[in-house]
Amino acid sequence: MNRLSLTLSRGVAKVTEAALGPYQSAVVRIGFAGTWLLFLLREFPHRQELYGPAGPWGWNLAKELTADNHAFTALLWTDGQLWFESFYLLAILAAAALLVGWRTRTASVLFMVGVLSLQNRSVFVGDGGDNVLHLMSFYLVFTRCGQVWSLDARRAARVEAARERGERVAADRVGPALWAVFGLVLVLATFTGRFANGWLIPALLWTAWAGLALWWAAGRRPRSSEPRILLDAVANVLHNGALVVIMAEACLIYATAGWYKIQGSRWQDGTAVYYPLHLDYFSPWPALADLMSSSGTIMAVVAYGTVMVQVAFPFTLFNRRVKNVLLVLLMIEHSVIAVVLGLPFFSLAMITADAVFLPTPFLRRLGTLAVRACERFARRDERTVPAPRSPQESAEDGSQGRWDSPRASAAERGGRFTA
């Protein structure tokens, strides 16, 4: 009994004392925010046809569909063109803020609102990558994904260093301002009946707003540490639970995809990969597709290898070496899909979901290499820019350059020597 209670206490302490996987959650944050941001920027010229109020999937049709499935979308609050343009810009800014980790808690909520609103507005736009992004945007709200590789972590380190030096830290004004604007929008949306279509997302938004207020209030009382410790424990539990759900979601995607492929006759005879390569919609590089499909052996190896890797991956999570090998194979597979089949955003979403299983030492080494590359690039820029010179040196160089220049006339050169 004592051994069991000790094991349980250790498990509870591990779950509540720290937010596990800080580098993995940061990669998931950067990956999904970057994928969505690139998609919004690429489709910016076509935004009216995809999500606009006068698009092919009309506003009335979308209104009827969401009334039936109770999906949340802020784009159906009004059919005004100004509201659509403003919301699309807000979705871009929220994705950019989450990408760099600026005000991560608020940015993650706005990121979820942008993803759900745009995707639920036009349900027939996108592919499997949109489904993954749809789910992950919801899970990211519960994670503490700004612990590392973010502007929030950088600001927190500066504040902590200033406090250790005994300096006075200025009060944060941006956070309360964002909270006030967030609350005002929630109040207006609630009392004008905009949330009448469902209760889950409005409840989550109000809970996040109240949680931000409690977190700010606990930080304003440094003498009493108990509320902050309690909030930290709750946040760690939510983060660790969401990280487990993200891992389980990735395993479920591969398991279901693999087992469904096994039941297909085209996957059984090894010809399933051949047919998508010859569809015009999935052939951005016809010559490359023809080259790959010219060998029946290659097609069979790719088909059987895909099925085996997807089915086996969930069962290899407890074997680090085998898991890492299959993880590399899956990422290579999605990279090939991005190039050959022309599905870059689907591949980026799946590679990001796979990144949650990457080992921490590899991610830390990758971050160190990125920092060194940025420092080298900055030093190279410094070498190309000459240092400022004194007026005397500039005058001397200018005089010498004038008289020694091949363009100086003979009279000028003669005048110089006779002077």
Side-chain angles (χ1 to χ4, degrees):
M1 179 63 70
N2 292 333
R3 183 178 299 178
L4 178 61
S5 61
L6 182 61
T7 303
L8 290 176
S9 62
R10 288 178 178 175
V12 172
K14 188 174 182 180
V15 172
T16 58
E17 289 180 354
L20 304 177
Y23 293 94
Q24 286 80 0
S25 58
V27 170
V28 171
R29 181 200 86 228
I30 295 171
F32 284 114
T35 301
W36 183 240
L37 179 61
L38 290 175
F39 176 79
L40 293 179
L41 293 178
R42 190 194 73 170
E43 300 299 342
F44 188 82
H46 315 291
R47 63 191 184 281
Q48 296 291 341
E49 292 78 7
L50 295 177
Y51 306 111
W57 184 249
W59 192 82
N60 292 327
L61 292 174
K63 196 75 174 178
E64 293 179 6
L65 180 61
T66 54
D68 183 60
N69 59 15
H70 303 288
F72 170 82
T73 172
L75 287 179
L76 296 181
W77 290 356
T78 177
D79 59 351
Q81 185 64 30
L82 179 60
W83 169 246
F84 167 73
E85 296 289 353
S86 302
F87 191 88
Y88 198 92
L89 180 60
L90 176 64
I92 293 177
L93 295 177
L98 188 63
L99 176 66
V100 299
W102 183 79
R103 306 291 171 175
T104 312
R105 294 188 180 93
T106 303
S108 63
V109 176
L110 296 178
F111 177 77
M112 179 198 68
V113 171
V115 171
L116 297 184
S117 298
L118 288 169
Q119 291 188 355
N120 290 335
R121 168 62 180 85
S122 298
V123 294
F124 299 107
V125 175
D127 47 35
D130 291 337
N131 296 330
V132 176
L133 185 63
H134 192 103
L135 295 172
M136 296 302 174
S137 67
F138 184 83
Y139 302 149
L140 277 174
V141 176
F142 299 93
T143 63
R144 306 183 72 173
C145 53
Q147 298 178 95
V148 296
W149 299 343
S150 66
L151 295 181
D152 288 347
R154 184 180 177 182
R155 183 177 64 255
R158 289 180 176 178
V159 171
E160 187 65 25
R163 288 177 177 174
E164 291 178 355
R165 293 192 300 266
E167 300 176 0
R168 183 179 180 181
V169 180
D172 182 23
R173 297 181 180 179
V174 178
L178 289 175
W179 178 83
V181 174
F182 187 15
L184 179 61
V185 173
L186 283 179
V187 170
L188 292 176
T190 301
F191 285 98
T192 56
R194 305 300 182 183
F195 290 145
N197 198 33
W199 62 269
L200 178 59
I201 300 301
L204 179 60
L205 294 177
W206 276 109
T207 303
W209 183 77
L212 290 173
L214 291 175
W215 195 273
W216 178 83
R220 297 283 293 177
R221 300 180 60 184
R223 296 182 179 180
S224 179
S225 59
E226 288 81 4
R228 186 58 180 265
I229 294 175
L230 177 61
L231 291 176
D232 264 328
V234 173
N236 292 336
V237 170
L238 292 176
H239 167 88
N240 296 329
L243 207 60
V244 171
V245 172
I246 291 174
M247 293 180 178
E249 188 72 39
C251 292
L252 184 62
I253 290 173
Y254 285 122
T256 53
W259 286 106
Y260 273 113
K261 286 182 175 65
I262 289 177
Q263 303 175 38
S265 59
R266 295 291 178 251
W267 290 98
Q268 292 175 5
D269 58 25
T271 61
V273 180
Y274 174 86
Y275 298 101
L277 293 176
H278 292 276
L279 294 176
D280 293 337
Y281 185 78
F282 296 109
S283 297
W285 313 100
L288 182 59
D290 293 338
L291 179 62
M292 291 185 60
S293 60
S294 61
S295 173
T297 303
I298 294 178
M299 291 292 96
V301 169
V302 172
Y304 293 143
T306 299
V307 173
M308 287 188 291
V309 170
Q310 290 182 351
V311 172
F313 178 74
F315 300 100
T316 62
L317 296 182
F318 298 101
N319 190 313
R320 182 178 303 176
R321 294 182 178 179
V322 179
K323 182 260 294 181
N324 291 337
V325 172
L326 294 186
L327 202 58
V328 172
L329 294 177
L330 287 172
M331 291 184 175
I332 293 175
E333 174 191 347
H334 291 302
S335 300
V336 173
I337 290 174
V339 176
V340 178
L341 297 182
L343 297 173
F345 300 108
F346 165 77
S347 299
L348 282 174
M350 291 307 304
I351 290 174
T352 303
D354 296 338
V356 74
F357 299 102
L358 291 174
T360 300
F362 171 77
L363 292 176
R364 296 182 64 178
R365 194 177 304 114
L366 189 64
T368 302
L369 293 176
V371 171
R372 290 177 180 176
C374 293
E375 290 176 351
R376 291 177 182 176
F377 183 77
R379 285 197 296 266
R380 186 176 62 181
D381 287 347
E382 291 176 359
R383 288 195 299 266
T384 58
V385 178
R389 314 185 71 176
S390 63
Q392 183 178 0
E393 292 176 345
S394 300
E396 292 177 356
D397 291 346
S399 175
Q400 182 180 3
R402 178 190 173 189
W403 295 111
D404 294 344
S405 173
R407 297 182 179 179
S409 64
E412 291 174 337
R413 289 196 294 270
R416 173 188 175 192
F417 291 116
T418 58

